[in-house]
Each structure stands twice: as C-alpha cells, then as structure tokens.
Amino acid sequence: MKSLNIAYMPALDHLRLLAALLVFAFHLFHFYYGQWQPAPYAAAFGLITEGHTGVALFFVLSGFLFMCIGLQAGEIRYAAFVRNRFLRIFPLFLFFFFIAISVGRDEFRAADVLYVFFSNLGQAPTSASFITGAAWTISVEFTFYLIFPFLARFVRAEGAAYLLRLIALLALVKLAAYGVSERPTHMLYSTLVGRLDQFLWGMLAAVLWTQRRAWFERHGRVLLALAVLAVWAATTWQARYASYFLPEPRQPAWVVWGTVEALAWAALVLGYISARIAWPAPMARALEHAGAWSYSFYLWHGLLLYTAQRFVGVWTPFGSVMANALANFALLLPVTLALAGLSYATIERPFLRLRGRYQGASAPR
C-alpha cells in the first residue's frame, strides 16, 4: 500500500497478495474438499492444506513494513499513527462485524459489541460463520499497532538486541502457556501470545535489511531460493506430522511452530525485496493492484466461497481432490479479485484518503 510515511515498496504488495492467496487456497480446499481434517496424503501441497501460514506472512510483513517506517521516519506521533491504522482496517472490519451480528441476530447479546476489540477470543460473532470467520486476525493485528510505536522507539534506542530479548521472553511465555492451556494448539494459533513474535521477527528483518541492504541485494536471489525451499519444506513437514487439524489439542511442535513460520517468511521477505525481480510492466501493475486489494480479498473470500458452493455448486472435472481444488482456485480467483477491487474502491479507499502523516516530535511517552 502506498503511504504518506515511507516510499512505496511494491515488493511488499506482491507478498501481501501471496499471503491472501495462500489463505484463499487453504479455505477453498478445506471448505470444498478437505472437511477441516489433516491431509497427510497431500503433504507436498502443505502450502495449500496448511495455507493458514499465509496469516504468519501477513504478520511478518506488518512488522517489517512498520519497522522500516520507524527507522526512516524517526519519532512517531502516537495518536496520528493509531488514527491511520483505525482508518486502514476498521471500516471494512466493522462492515463484516455487522454482517456477523445480523446473521446471528438471535444469539446476539449487548456485550457482544465488545468483540469489536476481541474478534479472536471467546465466542466472537465473526467466528460463528465461515463467511466472516477470517476476521479473527484483526484484533491480533490492531493490538500490535497499539504497541508498535513504543517498540519502534525502543529499537531505535537499543537496536536489534531489544527485539531479541523480547523474543526470548515470549518463548518462555509460549512454553508456560502451552503447559497451562487446555487447547494450546488453538491458543497459540489465534492469540497474541502465539503471534506477537511473528511481528517481532518481521521488525528484526527490517533492521537487518536497513543495516545490511547492500549485502542482501548481492545475495537476494540465492536467499530467495533458499527461503522458498524452507517454506515448502516446513509446510510439507507440518502437513504430515503437525497439522493444525490433528485431533490432539496438545502438540509440542506448536510451541515453536510460529517461530519457524516467522523465520522462513522473514527470510523470504528479505530475499524477495532484495532480488529486485523485474516483472514485465503489465504484470507488475497487476500485482500491485491486487496487493493493494489484499485486505478486501482476505475478508471477502470466505463469503464468496460459501456463496459459490451454496448457489452454484462445486466444479469437479477431475478424479483427484487436489486437481479439483486447483481447478476451482483458477475459476474463482478472478471473481474474488474483482470483488476485492470493488470493495477496495467502495469501502477502503475513501477512508484511506483521510489518513495523514504521523512522523513528528510528539512520540509516545
């Protein structure tokens, strides 16, 4: 997304689109075919069957982008920063929140309004239906926004060592939370306890890129190839041995899984922005537009997948489950992108134009 506070980095829009596509493919596969069950038979397609890893990429990208802003812009005016973040995500989120409470009107309680701030905890209305279920990530994202200006200030003062100390503390918190929680896999998947270090690894990647940019640009293509291999290997292993859908609520691998995801995605982010791939101009423009629409794409895709299944049916031209999933992906992707573009122009862009600059001397105190 183009910002008033940093030079535009189109590579990040490309990666944001990738994250949205992974989640789209993941939900399409399971909603149409996988029945929310482990799929070790398709372990080589772990990027699809465990495509929820796209959420980790979103979080790493957020940490990376905002730390780049924090390092280049200097002090951040807290109120202006939070206002910008509110204008960025809440109009579309509130649109989906009202869909959720309307669909579930008979179960609605007045206190459910507070789920606007906690869409990932308890019995959030958005989580009661597939068409609004993706909204659980918004509370995690916004909580990070609330603390980021402070984190950025501390990193500018103390360097990467501050992030490493905080990551070490969170590792202990994860271990303790795993021990005490009745459903630690789900808890680590869907709460700030399990996700905050992914933002922090993204921030750390931004610090490294800022300090060693020349080195990364010399080795970007090699790093990108290694990172792609690492992401594929990690998701293949998870699909076979540590699927989110395994019936065991206590999977020890999940204590470190979020960190593994974050490291692999952080390496891919560094590799991709450093490789400086020269896409043909039409493709580059298409990737940038689709990346700008990725938030709308992410929140709308569940509603579209449900509607297509309910009122049109599922296309099954092949005998293979994965081949059918890929065929439906190819069929529904342009429709979802068109819907995302419409949503962006109608709901997101008018509010985005209200944003302003947040660099200045009045930093958080």
Side-chain angles (χ1 to χ4, degrees), residues 151-168:
L151 298 178
R153 181 171 186 169
F154 303 153
V155 172
R156 289 195 303 270
E158 302 185 38
Y162 175 79
L163 290 172
L164 291 172
R165 294 200 304 269
L166 189 51
I167 288 170

Side-chain angles (χ1 to χ4, degrees), residues 34 45 98 187 230 364:
F45 294 92
F98 276 93
M187 179 272 298

Side-chain angles (χ1 to χ4, degrees), residues 116-247:
V116 167
F117 304 103
F118 302 101
S119 61
N120 63 319
L121 302 175
Q123 303 298 318
T126 49
S127 295
S129 170
F130 179 69
I131 68 174
T132 57
W136 73 265
T137 62
I138 305 306
S139 291
V140 179
E141 184 90 10
F142 198 74
T143 303
F144 171 70
Y145 295 157
L146 293 177
I147 63 175
F148 169 75
F150 298 95
L151 298 178
R153 181 171 186 169
F154 303 153
V155 172
R156 289 195 303 270
E158 302 185 38
Y162 175 79
L163 290 172
L164 291 172
R165 294 200 304 269
L166 189 51
I167 288 170
L169 291 172
L170 285 171
L172 178 60
V173 170
K174 280 188 176 185
L175 182 61
Y178 171 84
V180 76
S181 174
E182 293 183 359
R183 299 175 62 205
T185 299
H186 185 58
M187 179 272 298
L188 292 168
Y189 176 88
S190 60
T191 68
L192 197 67
V193 166
R195 296 292 187 171
L196 180 55
D197 69 326
Q198 295 183 337
F199 293 102
L200 300 181
W201 284 114
M203 291 175 65
L204 184 59
V207 173
L208 292 176
W209 188 70
T210 302
Q211 295 176 347
R212 300 286 187 269
R213 181 170 179 173
W215 184 92
F216 281 111
E217 289 181 345
R218 283 198 303 273
H219 303 284
R221 291 179 182 267
V222 174
L223 177 59
L224 177 59
L226 292 174
V228 169
L229 181 61
V231 169
W232 175 81
T235 52
T236 298
W237 180 89
Q238 185 189 33
R240 189 175 296 277
Y241 301 111
S243 171
Y244 175 72
F245 299 110
L246 286 173

